[in-house]
Every structure is written in C-alpha cells, then in structure tokens.
C-alpha cells in the first residue's frame, strides 16, 4: 500500500515532524547503501529515537501493510538497506547511546544505532576489548553489524559479531518488543531466539538494543607485513600457518592493485614492487606473541616471502590496519564502479581459489583487485568497472557466477560476511538447498506474516 | 548506452563536470563520521555522501536545482574534512564549487538583503583591496575614537535587531597599521640571500592581522629569504570561488599572476590556510585561458604555505623561548585543503621551552569557514563551543592556528565564553622567539 498523507501525519505524531522526511532532496540520499549499482527511491524516511517509537512505527506499518526497510549507516554491501518501492526507511542513527558498561560481568549495552567505533572506544575506556572490527567500523552501526553478522580483521582468532552478542532487544513486525538473551554465560531456557536475529538482515525484526560480551585487552601484540612476489605464495602461507595450528588474530591479504591504491591514499610506506602482502597480527601473552610472530615470519619465508617487516610500535601497527580498512574504498580510485564479492572457502583451498580468481579475470577481460580476510578464507575479489558499460557489466556478472560456482565446489560459500540482501538473492537457493529455503520461508512468515520487513531481500 | 554523460555548455555547472568526478563516490560512507554537519544531524542530506548524491541527481536530470538544494550547499561548511577521509579520492572541493556556482546562477537564494551583501562584499570590496582598506580605516576610526565602546556602553546597540547586535560584537579589531606600513616592498635576507620569495599579504589578514604579516616576513628574512611584498596587492579570489563567482575568481587569478610573475621567484608564500588552498589551484581556474594556463601551472608549483616552505628549506632553530604550553588548532583548508599537518607542529616544537599539547579533534572545523559564521550562526556557534571545550581541556593558555578566519572565530569565542586564551599564528610564536634571541649572530 502506498504511503498516504494520513499515514505520514501519524508518523509525525509518533516521532515528531522533524523526524519524518519526505522531500525529494531528503529521499535521494537514502536511495542507496554501500552497494554499487543498486538504487530505489523510498517514499519517506523516519528517524526513531527510542524502542517505543520503533514499536509504534511498526504497529502502524503493519496495520497499513507498509514495507519497512530498517537502516543503520547504510554501509551494507549487499543492498540490505536499499529502500523498497512504496516503502519507508526506518533509520536508527539517532538511537546511538551507549547505555552501560558492566565491568563486573564484562558486558556492554548499547542502542542499535551506536557505531562500532563508539562501542570499541567505550570498552577500551573501561579497560576492556570488543574485538569485531569491520572495515567500516568508524561508521557502521552495531545494529547493522548484528543484522549482517559482520566480520572484521580479527575474525580469525576472535570470531565475528555473533560470538559477542549476549542479548538483543527486538521489535517484531506487529510492534511487540521482546528481549532475548541476558548477561548469563549459560542459558538454555527454550530456543535461543537471539541467534535467529543475528544475520537476519532486517527481515525478522528491528533490533533496538544490543548486549555485548567484552573481553580483557590482550597485554601484547605484534604486527608483521610479509611481502610476496606471487599471490599464491601468500595464500599458501596462510594455509600453512593454520595447518601449523597457529591462530593469530589477523591474516589480511592485499594484491598488487589494492596495495597501490591503499598506499596512494594512506601513505604508510607499503612496498609497491610486489604481487601480494600479508598483514599478520598476533596478540596475547608477550612470550606467546614473540613465539608466534617468529614462527609466522618463518613460514612466510619458507613460502618465498622476499621480506618480512615488523611494525616498530603500536602507532605503526594501527596505521597499517587502518590503511587495510580503507582497501575497498581505495580501489574505487581506479574506476567509476567498484563491485566486490565475498566468496569464502575452507582455508586449505585458498591458493586454488586465488588462482581461479586470477584466471577468471583474465578470461572475461576484467580489471580486478583482490584483498580479504585470508585467515578466514574470505576473499573480496573486486571488479573495477563502469556501470554505464553494459557489455562489461554483463561480463562481470558472468565472472561472479563462475567464482561462486567454484567457491561452492571447493566447499565454500557465496558470502562470508556481507549477506544476501538484493545482490546475492538469486544465488541463495543453490547455496543452501530446497529444504533450508523452505524452513527459512516458514520462519519468516511466522514472524512477519504480512511481509512488511525488508520485503524482497534475501528471498521472496 | 556507454558514456551517456549529459553535456552542458557551461563548464561551471554540475553537468559540465567530467562525469567521472561525480561517479567517483562509491557511497561507502567512510566520510560520514568526519563531517561536522552529519555529526550534528545524523541526516544523510547533510553528509558528504548525501550532498554528492544530490549533485549527481542534478547532473543526471533526476533533480532540478531547488531552493532546498541551494540551502544545502550553503549549509555545507566547505571544510573538506570529507576529502581527507575519502579513500576513493573524491574531489569534493571541485564538486562543491561547481554546485555553488550553479546555485548562484539560478538566483534561487536571491533576496534584496543577500544580493546587497554579496554586491558589496564579493563584487565591490574584495575585487579592489583599496576599497577594503578604506572601509578598514573607517572602522578603525570608529574603534579608535572610542565610538564603539561608547555605543556598546550606551545600550543604543540594543535597539538593533538581535542578529545585527551579534554581528557588531563580531567586528574585529582593526590594526592601527596595515602591512604596507609595517613591511617594506623588498625586505632583504638577514645574512646571505639564499632565496627570493614573494609574500601575499591577504585581505582580512592585512586589515586585522597585519602583525602576523610582519612576523611572517621577519621569519622569512631570518631564514635567508629576500622577501618581495608589494603594497597594492589583490584578493586571491577564494571568497569568490567558494561563493559561486567563477568569473570574478578568474579575473583575480590573472591579476595575481601579473603582479607576481612566478618565473621570477623561488616561491610565492601565503600564510593563510584558506587563501593558500585556493591559490594553489590557479591552473584549474584558468585552464581555458590559453594565455595564462602555462604560467598558472608554474604559479601553482611555486605557491607555498609558510610552514611548508620553512620546513622545506630547513628552519633556523631559535636558541631561546619563554616557557609556555601551547595547543594547535588546524585550519581546515591548511589540513584538509593543503594536507599540511605536520609542518606547523614541527615549527612549534622547534621553539625552546614550548610544550605542544595535542588538541582533541584538532582538524574539526571551528565554525568560521569563510563567512559561514555570518550566514549559519547556529551551526557555527555549536562548532565553536565544541572547539573551545577541547581547548579548555588541554590546559593550554595559548592556541596557535594559521588562518585569519579561525583566529578571529577563536578570539570572539574565547571572549564570549570568558576564557583567558591567547590566540596566535604559529609564525608569530617563532618570530617572538627570534626577537628574544636579540640580534642574529
Ligand atoms: C568500506 C567498507 C568496509 C566494510 N568492511 C566490512 C568488513 O570488514 N566485514 C564485514 O562484515 N562487513 C564489512 N562491510 C559491510 C558493512 O559495513 C557491514 O555489513 C555493516 O555491518 C553494516 O552496518 P550498517 O549500520 O551500515 O547497516 P546498513 O547497511 O544500514 O544495514 C545492513 C542490513 O542490516 C539491516 N539492519 C540495520 N540495522 C538494523 C537493526 N537495528 N535491526 C534490524 N536490521 C537492521 C538492514 O535492513 C540491512 O539489511 C564494509 C562496508 C564498507 C562500505
Ligand atoms: S565521498 Fe568518499 S568516503 Fe564519502 S561516501 Fe563517497 S567514496 Fe565514500
Ligand atoms: S566540506 Fe565539511 S561540511 Fe561539507 S560535506 Fe565535507 S565534511 Fe561535511
């Protein structure tokens, strides 16, 4: 049902007229997210400032059968917060308070619109550590992180967002509010509904508060940069480190094209005359850190690394990981449109996958930059193209299909962390199979019978 | 349908821009947390990514230049923090100048008052600095004769509308002597001459901070530069370009190049962050002017910010200095526009006994932003308050900054909030240290 004047007025009554935007100039900036070449104009933007407002907005939308797209900071990379036709966008950026840091239970409670950075800072201020650090952490919201189950640079050792969510406050499609989870380390009372909402991409409910687990700050850390003259040497190094049962916190990969772009932007002194770099970080007890660092350096050299550099101090280590976080956006320096993918394979298959990606780019005559969380087996092959060039865009699609097929063949998945959203919708049935598709449909229907929450995303 | 970029005969327009400049933004959002107007509103229209999407919509004919768009382009501070943050290398400065030029051409914002102000300020005062100087002399007379104090005490000012009262309070103290009275046309190098440089004395800088100009020339001379400072200088045109007056900006650029032939100097020096940021892009401004284009390129290469130049030629370190704690506020156009971040700090650290404490959010706009504080007082005040809070928590009694707009904003802010704060240009601190040393040996 399209948005009527009456509904707009009621929305204004709920959140205040300044928090309902309908001007064309206000809508255009919300017609896309971080995903390339996807856009759709919303009818209306609504900012909620409390759980109660979210609940009232959903009650109204549910009664009127109005599509609602929940949005954090719009950095998603699968089109999850791209508006639906005739729908409203419910934006949570004005709900950004950190509500509590509980040092006795090592937890942090925040509103869903708080940025990942604010959470990380608040934890550090209390002498604690929130590990998940997606490349977008400066601005991505914790609600978005939970809804996408985002990873980051430290996923290898510390896991992804899911591993830190202890509880969630969620408003359901009909406006009812539920709390799922608590500060207890153990809890088996009923289904763990909390886990259902993690990675649900705004299709099952609107997350309004997040209770997170914090851990002690590791006392020592060491950052290394290994330089390679061939990409598959870097991939093999990662496979060998894992096989040697070393679990560093970070093993990030950058290829030549990415290195050049990142260095152009960040000017941190990356070597430009190599084919690949591995950014490796280990943290923990000082003695263990020393030991792990030297073993990783050894394995890198055994695989042909021409140089292994050690960050002089924490400041340099931070500069390097900050530079790495800019990789995706920095690649956009080279072409009008940058489309990245998120293929993930078991870590023993990394070298095979990297070679396949290279061969595919060659076959379809495409420019490509590859980087990724190699320690997680998660690669981001990024095509550098121009969305106005229809012919090339067609080849990009073909290349992606080939890469996905190969990832699945190797026992991997079509998306490690960016989610399905709009852009990977057509690949989902193949990746998960009929039975899982049926269960997911039934689940979604049970929670959102009218289908108002992010319709058209993930699956129809 | 490849390359369907819309064309427009007017190169100053968004449609006349190379489409790739608009397309460069891949809407990743990494610039959002550094944008003061987004931070304050959490609304995308007031973010770099949102503004760029509106500009692109105009270029694509999905949006007309509307009143809302026009207002938005003037709600943007033009602080360029988004350019520093953007890994994709989006040239926001260029987009922004084109957008404002297009807004001006549509006359959407035109009102008798705004037109009069623009006529007086942009088209009259700042096109001929002798007029500006004359006005400066009149205000000085008003201040010197004690009329200002008298009026302020009399309460008569309270009869003025609130906004005018506030503006009156902002009138800067005009210097008793302008640059031309303080600095000769040619200042010889102290000791052997190593370089020959030209010095641009600026407009606001000249009226309100002529002492900083004197200090700049002294510092240059002390470091082996012969300094050419002609007395009848022109405005650099940054005010015009940032306010959508491209043609006037071109006229002024040509005048500058005529007055300071770039081939005759080792460097052309500016000491105001905002001016320098504009002055370094004459080639872009004059790219269609076959006669001036090549010299404009040379000009851009020769143009140096004072800190940049001093760092490049190697500063002669002073031997002594008063013990003091200083913090440094970065001018947006020095930090984000010119990417000069380290040199002013290094310069301050060279002064003996000076302790430099870092300022939180040092490169966050103070709200001055050209004439922003006059046209968007609310946002500007919010930013100023935030800045002063950070300055307070450093515990420093002195804040250094390298742009006249910032200096004025901070002086006024400190006065308003009752903060005992010395606001100075880094070069002044250096000049004072040299003076304390006495005659150079
Ligand atoms: C430069 C860059 C680097 C990135 N690096 C990484 C990375 O390293 N690892 C990684 O995993 N991802 C990464 N991403 C992807 C993206 O940042 C994450 O998916 C992030 O979690 C999205 O957060 P957001 O606040 O922007 O959410 P949005 O993009 O606004 O929304 C994402 C999805 O979550 C839903 N959603 C948002 N908030 C809520 C809520 N409160 N309740 C219910 N549903 C909600 C939306 O409907 C949408 O489906 C990167 C993106 C960019 C642009
Ligand atoms: S301007 Fe740069 S940082 Fe901002 S959204 Fe666009 S590409 Fe990203
Ligand atoms: S110039 Fe400043 S105010 Fe304008 S969009 Fe960029 S960061 Fe925001």
């Amino acid at each position: 049902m399209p948005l009527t004047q009456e509904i707009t007025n009621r929305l204004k009554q709920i959140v205040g007229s300044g928090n309902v935007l309908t001007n064309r100039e206000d809508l255009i900036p919300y017609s896309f997210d971080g995903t390339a070449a996807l856009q759709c104009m919303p009818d209306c933007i609504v900012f909620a400032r409390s759980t109660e407002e979210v609940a009232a907005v959903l009650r109204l939308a549910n009664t009127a059968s109005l599509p609602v797209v929940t949005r954090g900071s719009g950095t998603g990379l699968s089109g999850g917060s791209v508006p639906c036709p005739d729908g409203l966008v419910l934006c949570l950026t004005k709900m950004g308070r950190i509500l509590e840091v509980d040092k006795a239970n090592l937890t942090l409670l925040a509103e869903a619109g708080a940025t990942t950075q604010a959470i990380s800072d608040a934890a550090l201020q209390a002498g604690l550590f929130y590990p998940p650090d997606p490349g977008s952490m400066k601005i991505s919201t914790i609600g978005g992180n939970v809804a996408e189950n985002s990873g980051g640079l430290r996923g290898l050792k510390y896991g992804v967002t899911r591993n830190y969510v202890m509880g969630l406050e969620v408003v359901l499609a009909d406006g009812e509010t539920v709390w799922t989870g608590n500060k207890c380390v153990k809890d088996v009372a009923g289904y763990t509904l909390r886990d259902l909402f993690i990675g649900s991409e705004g299709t099952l409910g609107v997350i309004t508060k997040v209770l997170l687990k914090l851990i002690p700050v590791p006392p020592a850390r060491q950052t290394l940069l290994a330089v390679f003259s061939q990409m598959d040497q870097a991939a093999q190094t990662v496979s060998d480190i894992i096989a040697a049962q070393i679990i560093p916190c970070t093993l990030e990969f950058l290829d030549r094209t990415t290195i050049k772009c990142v260095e152009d932007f960040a000017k941190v002194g990356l070597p430009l005359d190599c084919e690949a770099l591995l950014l490796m970080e280990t943290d923990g007890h000082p003695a263990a850190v020393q030991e792990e660092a030297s073993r990783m350096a050894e394995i890198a050299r055994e695989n042909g690394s021409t140089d292994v550099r050690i960050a002089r101090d924490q400041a340099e280590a931070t500069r390097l990981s900050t530079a790495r976080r800019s990789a995706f956006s920095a690649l956009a320096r080279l072409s009008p449109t940058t489309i990245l993918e998120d293929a993930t394979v078991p870590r023993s298959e990394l070298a095979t996958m990297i070679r396949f990606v290279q061969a595919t780019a060659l076959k379809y005559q495409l420019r490509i930059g590859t980087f990724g969380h190699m320690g997680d087996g998660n690669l981001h092959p990024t095509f550098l193209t121009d969305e106005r060039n229809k012919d090339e865009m067609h080849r990009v699609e073909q290349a992606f299909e080939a890469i996905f097929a190969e990832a699945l063949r190797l026992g991997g998945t079509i998306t490690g962390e960016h989610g399905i959203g709009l852009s990977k919708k057509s690949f989902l049935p193949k990746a998960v199979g009929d039975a899982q598709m049926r269960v997911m449909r039934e689940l979604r229907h049970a929670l959102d019978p009218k289908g108002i929450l992010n319709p058209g995303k993930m699956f129809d | 349908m490849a390359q369907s970029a819309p064309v427009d005969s007017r190169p100053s327009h968004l449609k006349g821009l190379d489409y790739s400049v608009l397309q460069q933004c891949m809407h990743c959002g990494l610039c959002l947390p550094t944008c003061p107007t987004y931070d304050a509103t959490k609304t995308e229209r007031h973010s770099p990514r949102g503004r760029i999407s509106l500009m692109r919509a105009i270029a694509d004919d999905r949006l007309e230049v509307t009143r809302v768009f026009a207002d938005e382009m003037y709600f943007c501070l033009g602080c360029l923090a988004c350019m520093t943050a953007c890994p994709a290398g989006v040239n926001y400065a260029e987009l922004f100048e084109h957008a404002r030029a297009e807004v001006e051409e549509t006359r959407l914002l035109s009102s008798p008052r705004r037109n009069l102000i623009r006529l007086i300020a942009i088209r009259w005062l700042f096109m001929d600095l002798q007029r500006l100087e004359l006005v400066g002399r009149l205000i000085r007379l008003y201040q010197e004769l004690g009329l200002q104090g008298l009026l302020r005490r009399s309460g008569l000012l309270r009869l003025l509308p609130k906004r005018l009262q506030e503006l009156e309070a902002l009138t800067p103290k005009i210097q008793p002597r302008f640059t031309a009275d303080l600095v000769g046309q040619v200042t010889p190098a102290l000791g052997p001459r190593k370089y020959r440089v030209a010095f641009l004395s600026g407009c606001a800088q000249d009226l309100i901070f002529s002492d900083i100009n004197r200090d700049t020339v002294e510092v240059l001379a002390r470091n082996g530069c012969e300094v050419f400072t002609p007395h009848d200088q022109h405005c650099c045109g940054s005010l015009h370009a940032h306010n959508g007056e491209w043609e006037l900006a071109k006229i002024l650029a040509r005048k500058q190049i005529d007055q300071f032939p770039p081939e005759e100097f080792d460097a052309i020096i500016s000491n105001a962050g905002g001016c320098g940021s504009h002055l370094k892009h004459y080639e872009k401004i004059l790219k269609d002017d076959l006669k001036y284009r090549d010299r404009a390129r040379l000009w851009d290469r020769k143009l140096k910010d004072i800190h940049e130049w001093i760092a490049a030629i190697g500063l002669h370190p002073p031997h002594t200095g008063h013990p003091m704690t200083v913090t440094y506020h970065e001018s947006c156009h020095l930090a984000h526009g010119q990417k000069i971040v380290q040199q002013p700090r290094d310069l301050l650290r060279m002064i003996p006994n000076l302790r430099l404490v870092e300022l939180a959010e040092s490169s966050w706009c103070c709200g001055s932003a050209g004439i922003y504080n006059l046209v968007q007082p609310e946002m500007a005040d919010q930013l100023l308050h935030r800045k002063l809070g950070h300055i307070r928590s450093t515990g420093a009694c002195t804040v250094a900054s390298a742009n006249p707009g910032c200096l004025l904003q901070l002086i006024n802010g400190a006065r308003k909030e009752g903060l005992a704060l010395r606001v100075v240009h880094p070069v002044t601190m250096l000049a004072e240290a040299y003076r304390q040393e006495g005659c150079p040996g």
Side-chain angles (χ1 to χ4, degrees):
Chain A
M1 198 176 114
L3 191 77
T4 59
Q5 187 59 46
E6 193 205 329
I7 295 178
T8 314
N9 290 339
R10 299 215 358 233
L11 286 168
K12 287 182 180 169
Q13 279 164 12
I14 298 169
V15 295
S17 56
N19 288 312
V20 179
L21 309 177
T22 50
N23 263 334
R24 197 167 165 76
E25 295 85 348
D26 277 307
L27 301 181
I28 290 173
Y30 286 93
S31 61
F32 50 83
D33 66 358
T35 320
L38 281 181
Q39 65 174 36
C40 177
M41 278 290 278
D43 274 6
C44 168
I45 313 297
V46 180
F47 292 94
R49 290 158 304 171
S50 67
T51 304
E52 292 69 32
E53 287 184 357
V54 171
V57 170
L58 286 191
R59 263 196 300 277
L60 176 64
N62 198 42
T63 314
S65 298
L66 204 66
V68 176
V69 178
T70 310
R71 180 179 165 116
S73 289
T75 65
L77 295 176
S78 54
S81 57
V82 171
C84 299
D86 295 329
L88 59 85
V89 170
L90 177 59
C91 188
L92 297 192
T93 47
K94 293 189 184 176
M95 284 175 69
R97 286 178 304 161
I98 308 280
L99 300 169
E100 180 196 76
V101 181
D102 180 345
K103 287 171 90 167
N105 286 304
L106 308 189
T107 60
L108 182 151
L109 179 68
E111 289 183 325
T115 62
T116 322
Q117 184 76 54
I119 285 168
S120 168
D121 291 348
L124 270 181
Q125 236 170 30
L128 292 163
F129 182 35
Y130 176 70
D133 60 340
S136 50
M137 68 182 292
K138 278 203 311 189
I139 186 70
S140 67
T141 65
I142 192 68
N145 292 170
V146 174
E148 296 286 7
N149 189 17
S150 298
L153 275 56
R154 306 188 184 112
L156 176 52
K157 175 171 177 182
Y158 290 106
V160 294
T161 306
R162 175 184 302 280
N163 304 101
Y164 296 85
V165 178
M166 298 191 73
L168 292 175
E169 183 187 73
V170 182
V171 180
L172 302 176
D174 59 6
E176 181 154 13
T177 304
V178 296
W179 242 112
T180 157
N182 50 43
K183 288 186 184 174
C184 301
V185 177
K186 302 164 99 175
D187 177 11
V188 291
Y191 298 141
T192 311
L193 285 185
R194 171 192 70 204
D195 288 358
L196 190 59
F197 293 101
I198 302 172
S200 64
E201 302 187 18
T203 62
L204 300 180
V206 177
I207 300 157
T208 44
K209 291 196 185 90
V210 183
L211 180 69
L212 295 165
K213 175 172 91 175
L214 304 178
I215 62 173
V217 184
R221 87 180 40 192
Q222 177 88 262
T223 302
L224 312 169
L225 200 62
V227 184
F228 297 91
S229 56
Q230 283 171 36
M231 291 215 271
D232 49 2
Q233 293 174 339
Q236 197 54 47
T237 300
V238 171
S239 299
D240 289 355
I241 288 175
I242 306 291
Q245 301 181 6
I246 301 171
I247 305 290
C249 78
T250 295
L251 285 178
E252 291 288 320
F253 168 85
L254 302 173
D255 76 352
R256 186 189 196 95
T257 308
T258 317
I259 297 166
K260 167 101 186 26
C261 290
V262 168
E263 182 57 23
D264 270 356
F265 166 62
K267 305 197 173 56
V268 285
L270 298 181
L272 296 171
D273 52 351
C274 60
E275 283 307 317
L277 281 179
L278 272 186
L279 178 69
M280 316 193 281
E281 186 166 298
T282 141
D283 64 3
H285 188 277
V289 165
Q290 273 308 322
E291 159 81 18
E292 275 189 5
S294 54
R295 287 193 58 202
M296 289 198 301
E298 226 174 83
I299 295 176
R301 284 196 201 96
E302 280 165 19
N303 276 296
S305 167
T306 49
D307 186 16
V308 181
R309 303 182 186 177
I310 300 176
R312 256 169 290 130
D313 48 24
Q314 194 46 49
E316 189 180 353
T318 308
R319 273 201 300 281
L320 287 171
S321 52
T322 308
R324 152 61 189 93
R325 282 201 191 89
S326 71
F328 169 43
S329 314
L331 275 170
R333 293 177 164 252
L334 295 183
S335 65
T337 311
T338 19
I339 307 188
L340 98 168
E341 276 315 329
D342 192 24
T344 304
V345 295
R347 290 169 291 198
S348 54
E349 303 289 357
L350 276 166
T352 316
M353 192 64 198
I354 278 281
R355 277 193 293 268
F356 184 82
V357 167
Q358 275 177 288
T360 309
L362 212 63
K363 176 172 170 197
Y364 293 99
Q365 298 161 21
L366 295 166
R367 267 215 301 179
I368 192 171
T370 301
F371 64 98
H373 316 294
M374 213 173 222
D376 306 342
N378 187 185
L379 293 176
H380 294 315
T382 305
F383 288 104
L384 311 173
T385 173
D386 183 340
E387 61 189 289
R388 293 172 298 166
N389 184 339
K390 289 286 179 258
D391 173 55
E392 190 169 285
M393 286 297 278
H394 181 61
R395 279 181 279 131
V396 169
E397 272 163 40
Q398 288 177 315
F400 278 138
E401 275 177 43
I403 289 173
F404 289 150
E406 178 70 0
L408 293 177
R409 194 184 68 81
L410 294 173
T413 171
I414 55 172
T415 170
E417 57 178 15
H418 296 158
I420 298 294
L422 283 174
S423 50
K424 261 157 262 162
K425 216 168 120 177
S426 58
F427 300 99
L428 183 63
K430 194 158 167 221
V432 301
D434 292 345
Q436 281 202 71
M437 285 303 292
R438 180 179 62 79
V439 177
M440 289 200 277
R441 280 209 175 84
E442 286 172 10
L443 259 172
R444 185 166 176 179
H445 185 73
L447 283 165
D448 178 18
K450 286 190 162 181
I452 62 160
L453 292 177
N454 225 354
K457 307 291 172 65
M458 206 186 283
F459 51 83
D460 287 314
Chain B
M1 107 130 208
Q3 311 309 320
S4 64
V7 274
D8 190 299
S9 52
R10 288 155 299 183
S12 67
H13 277 203
L14 287 167
K15 280 183 199 164
L17 257 178
D18 181 351
Y19 197 66
S20 65
V21 180
L22 282 159
Q23 240 182 343
Q24 196 66 40
C25 173
M26 42 94 77
H27 33 89
C28 64
L30 292 189
C31 52
L32 266 56
T34 57
C35 172
T37 54
Y38 178 77
D39 185 71
T41 60
K42 299 284 188 274
T43 303
E44 287 275 0
R45 194 215 321 159
H46 307 312
S47 82
R49 171 171 77 167
R51 290 178 175 128
I52 294 167
S53 74
L54 292 177
M55 296 177 199
R56 190 167 168 180
I58 287 175
D60 286 347
D61 277 328
R62 284 181 290 123
L63 182 74
E64 307 221 312
V65 179
T66 59
R67 174 72 205 230
V68 177
F69 176 79
D71 283 336
E72 189 53 49
M73 292 306 117
Y74 280 90
F75 188 52
C76 170
L77 293 149
C79 70
L80 308 186
C82 47
M83 273 181 77
T84 300
C86 176
V90 170
N91 189 344
Y92 186 81
E94 187 167 0
L95 290 168
F96 177 63
E97 283 181 354
H98 277 74
R100 278 202 177 170
E102 187 148 355
V103 166
E104 286 316 316
E105 238 167 88
T106 56
R107 312 190 130 266
L108 273 166
L109 296 176
S110 112
S111 73
R113 190 173 144 257
R114 186 175 188 272
N115 295 350
L116 185 68
I117 294 175
R118 285 181 67 93
L119 184 75
I120 295 178
I122 298 176
R123 296 187 161 258
W124 193 73
L125 265 184
F126 284 86
M127 281 309 284
D128 181 344
L129 291 187
Q130 286 181 344
R131 296 174 194 151
L132 184 69
E133 203 177 299
L134 181 72
V135 173
R137 285 179 202 283
L138 287 174
I139 300 179
R140 182 165 74 197
L141 201 65
Y142 163 74
Q143 288 170 340
E144 275 175 358
L145 290 177
L147 280 175
Q148 187 173 39
L150 201 68
L151 268 177
R152 281 181 181 172
R153 278 190 303 277
S154 72
L156 274 177
L157 285 174
R158 260 177 272 143
L159 297 177
L160 292 173
K162 178 145 183 300
R163 189 68 206 119
L164 271 183
Q165 282 183 47
E166 282 166 14
L167 278 181
E168 200 279 339
L170 287 181
T171 355
K173 176 97 180 65
I174 303 294
Q175 290 281 320
R177 289 186 294 165
F178 299 146
T179 309
D181 308 324
L182 296 173
V183 178
Q185 300 244 23
V186 176
T187 308
L190 277 181
R193 183 184 100 179
K194 291 192 237 153
Y195 308 97
R196 184 155 188 269
V197 305
F199 173 59
L200 306 175
S201 53
C203 355
Q205 185 87 346
D206 183 27
L207 294 193
I208 312 161
F209 298 111
S210 52
D211 49 345
I212 298 176
N213 284 346
R214 179 202 55 210
D215 298 341
T216 306
V217 172
E218 268 184 44
V219 162
L220 282 166
R222 186 73 180 74
N223 284 281
C225 302
E226 177 187 279
V227 192
F228 174 58
T229 318
H231 285 166
D232 47 347
Q233 298 200 19
H234 305 286
C235 173
C236 67
S238 91
L239 181 73
H240 307 79
H242 295 161
N243 286 284
E245 296 284 359
W246 270 91
E247 287 310 316
L248 300 182
K250 281 186 195 165
I251 294 174
L252 289 167
R254 287 189 204 104
K255 283 193 183 174
Q256 292 276 30
I257 293 177
D258 288 341
Q259 187 169 32
F260 300 96
E263 43 301 323
E264 290 177 17
F265 300 99
D266 294 309
I268 302 165
I269 308 290
S270 158
N271 64 0
C275 306
S277 179
H278 176 77
L279 282 159
K280 284 179 173 172
H281 298 288
Y282 276 3
E283 186 189 356
K284 187 187 78 193
I285 297 170
L286 296 174
K287 66 174 185 290
D288 301 324
D289 185 330
L290 294 183
K291 189 157 154 248
Y292 277 86
R293 197 175 50 195
D294 292 341
R295 292 177 80 206
R297 183 175 315 132
L298 184 62
W299 165 280
D300 289 358
R301 276 216 308 277
K302 292 279 174 81
L303 220 148
K304 300 286 176 217
D305 172 72
I306 178 72
H307 308 88
E308 181 184 23
W309 173 248
I310 292 285
I313 64 174
L315 166 73
H316 172 95
H319 304 306
T320 161
H322 289 300
M324 63 179 119
T325 305
V326 178
T327 192
Y328 175 61
H329 158 68
E330 306 191 55
S331 136
C332 293
H333 282 228
L334 194 59
H336 304 305
Q338 300 186 56
K339 310 281 178 238
I340 294 177
V341 172
Q342 207 44 50
Q343 298 93 324
R345 293 177 161 91
D346 290 345
L347 182 155
L348 287 168
R349 284 204 192 91
M350 293 286 261
I351 301 174
N353 301 323
L354 186 153
R355 192 169 73 94
L356 182 67
V357 277
E358 268 307 315
L359 179 66
E361 299 186 340
S362 61
S363 66
W364 195 264
C365 182
C366 65
S368 158
I371 53 171
Y372 192 86
N373 52 353
L374 303 181
V375 289
Q376 300 277 359
E378 213 172 293
M379 186 70 210
D381 280 354
Q382 225 174 311
L383 290 170
L384 177 57
H385 185 68
R386 177 171 179 153
K387 180 62 68 183
L388 289 169
H390 287 314
I391 293 176
R392 228 181 241 124
S393 34
T394 62
C397 300
T398 304
V399 58
S401 191
N403 188 50
C406 303
L407 294 171
L408 260 185
Q409 175 85 338
L410 293 172
I411 291 170
N412 281 325
R415 190 171 60 208
K416 219 163 82 184
E417 301 200 4
L419 185 67
L421 186 69
R422 180 168 182 227
V423 183
V424 350
H425 194 294
V427 162
T428 298
M429 311 229 67
L430 183 59
E432 282 173 2
Y434 283 147
R435 268 177 231 136
Q436 210 186 324
E437 230 170 63
C439 276

